Amino acid sequence: MILLHLSDLHVRPSGMPAYRVAETSHLAERALRAARAFVPRPDAIVISGDLTDCGLVAEYAQLRHLLRRYLAGIPLYLIPGNHDRRENFREGLAEFPGVVTDPEFVQYVVDDLPVRLVMMDSVVSGAGYGLLCPKRLAWLDARLAEAPAKPTFLVLHHPPILCGLPTYDSINLRNGADLGALLARHPQVERILCGHHHRSMTGRLGNVIVSAAPSVAHHGAFELDDDNGRFTFEPAGYHVHLRLPDGGIVSHLLFVEQYPGPFPYIADPDYPGGAAKVA
Ligand SMILES: [Fe+2]
Ligand SMILES: [Fe+2]
C-alpha cells in the first residue's frame, strides 16, 4: 500500500498570497501536480488540515478546483485544521468521502485499504490549539473497538506531543495525554499522522509513532529559544507511508521540487566491494 500524506496547503483565493509573501495556491498546485505524477499511482492520499488559510468560501472554491483538476480518480481523504472553518469546509468539500458523514465534526473511517484510516477533527473553532473533546474521544474509542486486529493510522491536524519549538508547542493538541491513554487500549494503531507545525517531525505518544508531515507551502522557522512565530521557505515536502509485503510499515520524506538524478551507481575502481553493482 502506498499512502501519500500531504499537509497544510493554506490555499488563498486565486492570485492572493498568504501573509503577503506565501503564494500558497501556486505552491499547493505544484504539490498536487507532484502527487498526480507519483509513480506508481498511490492507493490513497490524505491531507491533514489547514487546507485553506482563512476558511473562506472563495478559498474552498479554489481548492476544489485544484483537487478536481489534479487528483481526480485517486481516493482522497481530507480533514480540517485551525485555519479552516468547519462549516465552510463541510459545504465546500462535501463531495469528498467522509466529509459530511458525521453531523457535527469532520470525522470518518476508511476501511477499504490494507491500513485502516481514522480521520479525526481536532479543531476548536476560533483557536490555534487543538482538542479532542469527550464526545470526539468517545467516537474514536468506539471506532477503534470495531477493528482491533487491523493496522490503523489515526489522522488529525494537531500534533499530540511537544516538538521543542515554543511557538508551536503553544498551539499543539491540548489533551495529548487523554489521547495517549485511549490509544493504550488499542494497540493496532501504528501511526498518528498530523501536520500543523509545517515541519517534518517524528516522536512518540505512548507506544504510537507520531509522524508530522511538512507543509507543501511555507515552513515553521526552526527556532528553539524563540516564540516569535515566524516562517521560512524550506523545500516543500510530503510523507509517503508504505505497507510492505512482510506487514511492516515505513515512512519516507519526499520533496515536491525535482532535483538532479537519478543517476546510475557506476562502481569506482577503488570501491572495496569489487566490480559488483554498487548500492
Ligand atoms: Fe498550517
Ligand atoms: Fe494548523
Side-chain angles (χ1 to χ4, degrees), residues 38-92:
F38 193 91
V39 177
R41 178 170 283 211
D43 295 289
I45 298 176
V46 299
I47 311 182
S48 57
D50 285 357
L51 303 190
T52 65
D53 194 52
C54 297
L56 304 178
V57 170
E59 293 174 340
Y60 290 108
Q62 169 71 356
L63 174 67
R64 201 166 54 238
H65 164 74
L66 293 174
L67 295 177
R68 284 177 181 163
R69 177 170 184 185
Y70 290 103
L71 300 187
I74 304 176
L76 176 63
Y77 304 109
L78 310 173
I79 51 165
N82 54 301
H83 281 260
D84 293 298
R85 294 175 195 255
R86 194 180 285 119
E87 286 318 305
N88 290 346
F89 184 109
R90 290 167 68 90
E91 198 171 315

Side-chain angles (χ1 to χ4, degrees), residues 19-252:
Y19 315 114
R20 303 184 184 182
V21 294
E23 298 286 354
T24 48
S25 294
H26 168 70
L27 295 167
E29 183 166 11
R30 197 178 65 148
L32 297 176
R33 196 184 298 125
R36 174 92 232 166
F38 193 91
V39 177
R41 178 170 283 211
D43 295 289
I45 298 176
V46 299
I47 311 182
S48 57
D50 285 357
L51 303 190
T52 65
D53 194 52
C54 297
L56 304 178
V57 170
E59 293 174 340
Y60 290 108
Q62 169 71 356
L63 174 67
R64 201 166 54 238
H65 164 74
L66 293 174
L67 295 177
R68 284 177 181 163
R69 177 170 184 185
Y70 290 103
L71 300 187
I74 304 176
L76 176 63
Y77 304 109
L78 310 173
I79 51 165
N82 54 301
H83 281 260
D84 293 298
R85 294 175 195 255
R86 194 180 285 119
E87 286 318 305
N88 290 346
F89 184 109
R90 290 167 68 90
E91 198 171 315
L93 302 175
E95 69 193 68
F96 293 96
V99 167
V100 292
T101 297
D102 187 272
E104 189 174 1
F105 302 109
V106 181
Q107 57 185 13
Y108 55 98
V109 172
V110 180
D111 265 323
D112 58 354
L113 294 167
V115 174
R116 194 170 187 242
L117 304 179
V118 179
M119 311 295 293
M120 289 222 65
D121 180 337
S122 57
V123 172
V124 177
S125 296
Y129 64 84
L131 191 80
L132 294 175
C133 59
K135 207 169 177 179
R136 280 174 275 187
L137 286 171
W139 179 88
L140 174 62
D141 204 21
R143 297 293 75 74
L144 292 175
E146 291 168 349
K150 187 164 180 181
T152 299
F153 287 172
L154 174 62
V155 187
L156 76 167
H157 182 65
H158 297 83
I161 56 172
L162 295 174
C163 73
L165 305 175
T167 290
Y168 298 99
D169 282 338
S170 69
I171 53 169
N172 72 349
L173 188 81
R174 284 283 158 88
N175 61 336
D178 294 338
L179 177 61
L182 190 157
L183 295 181
R185 303 197 296 272
H186 301 282
Q188 79 270 26
V189 178
E190 294 266 353
R191 293 270 196 289
I192 297 171
L193 309 187
C194 47
H196 188 47
H197 292 345
H198 293 222
R199 300 207 62 85
S200 180
M201 185 184 92
T202 306
R204 191 158 60 85
L205 180 69
N207 288 323
V208 185
I209 294 168
V210 177
S211 181
S215 172
V216 300
H218 46 293
H219 277 65
F222 192 79
E223 297 177 312
L224 288 170
D225 54 2
D226 190 319
D227 62 356
N228 282 331
R230 299 184 293 189
F231 64 92
T232 62
F233 291 105
E234 297 174 30
Y238 57 98
H239 286 170
V240 180
H241 307 284
L242 303 177
R243 184 151 195 261
L244 300 167
D246 69 354
I249 294 170
V250 68
S251 304
H252 296 260

